Amino acid sequence: MAEAYIYDAVRTPRGKGKADGSLHEAQPVQLLASLLKAVQERNNLDTSLVDDVVAGCVSPVGEQGADIARTAVLEAGYAETVAGVQLNRFCSSGLEAINTASAHVMSGQADLVIAGGVESMSRVPMGSDGGALFTNPALIGRHKIVPQGISADLIATKYGFSREDLDRFSAESHRRAYEATQKGYFKKSLIPILDQIGMALLTEDEGIRPQTTVESLSALKPAFEMMGQMGGLNALALQKYPEIERINHVHHAGNSSQISDGSGLLLIGNKEVGEKAGLKARARIHSYAIIGSEPTIMLTGPAPSTRKLLKKNGMNINDIDIFEVNEAFAVVPMLYMQELGIDHSKVNPNGGAIAMGHPLGATGAILISTLIDELERQDKTLGLATLCIGGGMGISTIIERI
């Protein structure tokens, strides 16, 4: 089986996913095409060597529909022979795209693939694609499906995480992200997004608030309490968890991931194409795993997917040097660290989605990009990226620095 080497990793800054966000005027295809151009320019790449572009996108409708991957290939001026496909595994779509591309390379069915994802949440709002999982009342009632914020609060209640615990983690995410930005830790992979006349729309992640403290976060109201009580959704969730008397609503805008615009891409290929194109490998895809988990509580998949992956490779948790755990809600990485016995110093060392945002289809690729940069900076070898996923799933991928 061929090795799948990572030859390059790029990402956009993450902009606020609202009309006043700095990337709002950039169409999602522009975000993706800008990174494709950067990959070509940074590597002096003959684009005819690229077999396919695989792009994750969670709401593939409107401006993000009609196979945005192929559209971006054309817009970026790549060879017409380069194909493109978009895929959706909810919040893990960017990482699923990378794993899928790696499988093509490992199996010998492709030599060079660009993979990652894009999401412009300010232009195509979350949920725009509908879907029975969130809109069919009979299905929702039968499977006890509730919004993810209520799932996050359910986890915090079940496992005993307090509001102060979550706020402390979130303030630290902002502190780490600010420090990493100030020290230039993201610059190797960060590609500024320009407007039509070449002026920079955004050069750094927009959501970082260095002044964030536990005290400032304590003033924010729980985001999902009214929804849970007035909509009967708390009662629906508790039908699955009757041992819990009531859900303690502890998540809010400050300890949940920020809605964002952004994109991320990796250049992945075998050894032969790398030599032909004059590319230098930075890392390789070591292995990956996906798992289903209980769909009401929904967000507990990272730990079991990591256990599955480690078991498959005969490894243990101490073999991993650095972890990137998506901060969909503060309780997700906190539960992950508790279940697997990982010190916080090894998890999200440069902050995460609470501070910098979660552009749904792109985040998995951004995590891998950040992981490669940090492995190089710390002179470490093995990194693991993992995300919780809507509908109750988890995904984990291990990369090895070359």
Side-chain angles (χ1 to χ4, degrees):
M1 186 171 66
E3 297 281 11
Y5 292 103
I6 301 171
Y7 289 108
D8 202 6
V10 295
R11 71 171 180 91
T12 70
R14 282 162 281 190
K16 289 191 300 181
K18 300 179 180 179
D20 63 347
S22 296
L23 294 182
H24 175 65
E25 72 175 74
Q27 292 189 5
V29 70
Q30 181 185 344
L31 301 179
L32 200 55
S34 294
L35 293 189
L36 286 172
K37 291 176 183 177
V39 169
Q40 191 278 322
E41 292 167 0
R42 283 160 58 109
N43 298 282
N44 193 26
L45 181 64
D46 176 0
T47 60
S48 68
L49 296 174
V50 179
D51 295 295
D52 203 1
V53 172
V54 185
C57 184
V58 175
S59 296
V61 296
E63 293 179 348
Q64 292 178 166
D67 191 352
I68 192 171
R70 173 60 176 171
T71 309
V73 164
L74 298 175
E75 182 66 10
Y78 272 44
E80 289 183 355
T81 52
V82 181
V85 61
Q86 65 186 30
L87 55 76
N88 179 10
R89 199 192 287 275
F90 293 140
C91 298
S92 73
S93 296
L95 188 53
E96 179 63 32
I98 289 166
N99 293 348
T100 298
S102 300
H104 287 313
V105 172
M106 290 174 177
S107 66
Q109 301 306 304
D111 296 321
L112 191 63
V113 183
I114 297 175
V118 64
E119 206 81 31
S120 180
M121 300 178 76
S122 70
R123 299 179 69 95
V124 185
M126 181 169 51
S128 296
D129 54 333
L133 186 64
F134 307 117
T135 63
N136 184 315
L139 186 151
I140 290 169
R142 192 156 48 244
H143 300 286
K144 312 296 185 290
I145 303 299
V146 297
Q148 288 190 1
I150 293 175
S151 298
D153 287 339
L154 177 59
I155 294 171
T157 304
K158 179 176 173 63
Y159 293 96
F161 292 101
S162 70
R163 165 76 181 256
E164 185 176 350
D165 293 334
L166 305 178
D167 288 352
R168 186 178 299 110
F169 179 92
S170 303
E172 177 64 7
S173 180
H174 281 279
R175 189 198 68 77
R176 292 182 179 193
Y178 179 72
E179 180 177 305
T181 299
Q182 293 299 108
K183 292 183 176 180
Y185 292 169
F186 301 133
K187 287 192 177 298
K188 190 169 186 178
S189 300
L190 201 58
I191 305 299
I193 296 299
L194 311 179
D195 63 15
Q196 298 301 318
I197 61 172
M199 299 293 290
L201 292 175
L202 190 61
T203 60
E204 295 180 341
D205 298 303
E206 190 169 26
I208 303 171
R209 298 186 298 274
Q211 72 278 12
T212 300
T213 63
V214 174
E215 291 71 30
S216 66
L217 292 174
S218 69
L220 299 176
K221 295 181 179 180
F224 308 102
E225 184 171 22
M226 185 174 296
M227 177 193 300
Q229 293 175 353
M230 300 297 289
L233 295 168
N234 282 358
L236 184 62
L238 293 177
Q239 289 179 31
K240 186 69 74 73
Y241 293 90
E243 72 276 14
I244 296 175
E245 182 178 348
R246 60 182 292 275
I247 295 175
N248 184 23
H249 289 284
V250 289
H251 284 91
H252 51 77
N255 59 26
S256 306
S257 57
Q258 298 182 40
I259 292 172
S260 301
D261 301 337
S263 183
L265 289 177
L266 269 65
L267 179 63
I268 301 170
N270 59 30
K271 181 180 179 181
E272 290 73 23
V273 78
E275 291 175 347
K276 182 177 180 179
L279 302 172
K280 182 180 180 181
R282 298 178 63 190
R284 73 178 183 95
I285 301 294
H286 181 285
S287 51
Y288 48 85
I290 191 79
I291 199 166
S293 60
E294 197 282 296
T296 302
I297 209 164
M298 195 183 304
L299 308 172
T300 57
S305 67
T306 294
R307 290 193 188 101
K308 179 180 180 180
L309 180 55
L310 294 175
K311 182 179 179 181
K312 181 170 68 173
N313 288 286
M315 301 169 68
N316 65 62
I317 201 71
N318 295 320
D319 292 325
I320 306 301
D321 297 307
I322 303 172
F323 298 82
E324 283 290 331
V325 185
N326 187 37
E327 297 174 358
F329 299 89
V331 78
V332 174
M334 294 183 73
L335 178 64
Y336 184 83
M337 290 187 290
Q338 177 178 287
E339 288 194 320
L340 297 178
I342 308 168
D343 189 83
H344 192 186
S345 63
K346 296 176 68 174
V347 176
N348 302 354
N350 297 317
I354 288 171
M356 294 177 284
H358 178 19
L360 304 177
T363 301
I366 292 172
L367 293 184
I368 294 290
S369 171
T370 302
L371 197 53
I372 294 172
D373 288 344
E374 190 63 15
L375 286 170
E376 292 174 345
R377 191 183 74 81
Q378 292 192 26
D379 193 23
K380 300 292 187 181
T381 303
L382 291 174
L384 186 149
T386 185
L387 299 94
C388 59
I389 309 172
M393 293 181 280
I395 190 170
S396 293
T397 299
I398 295 173
I399 64 169
E400 180 178 5
R401 183 174 70 91
I402 302 298

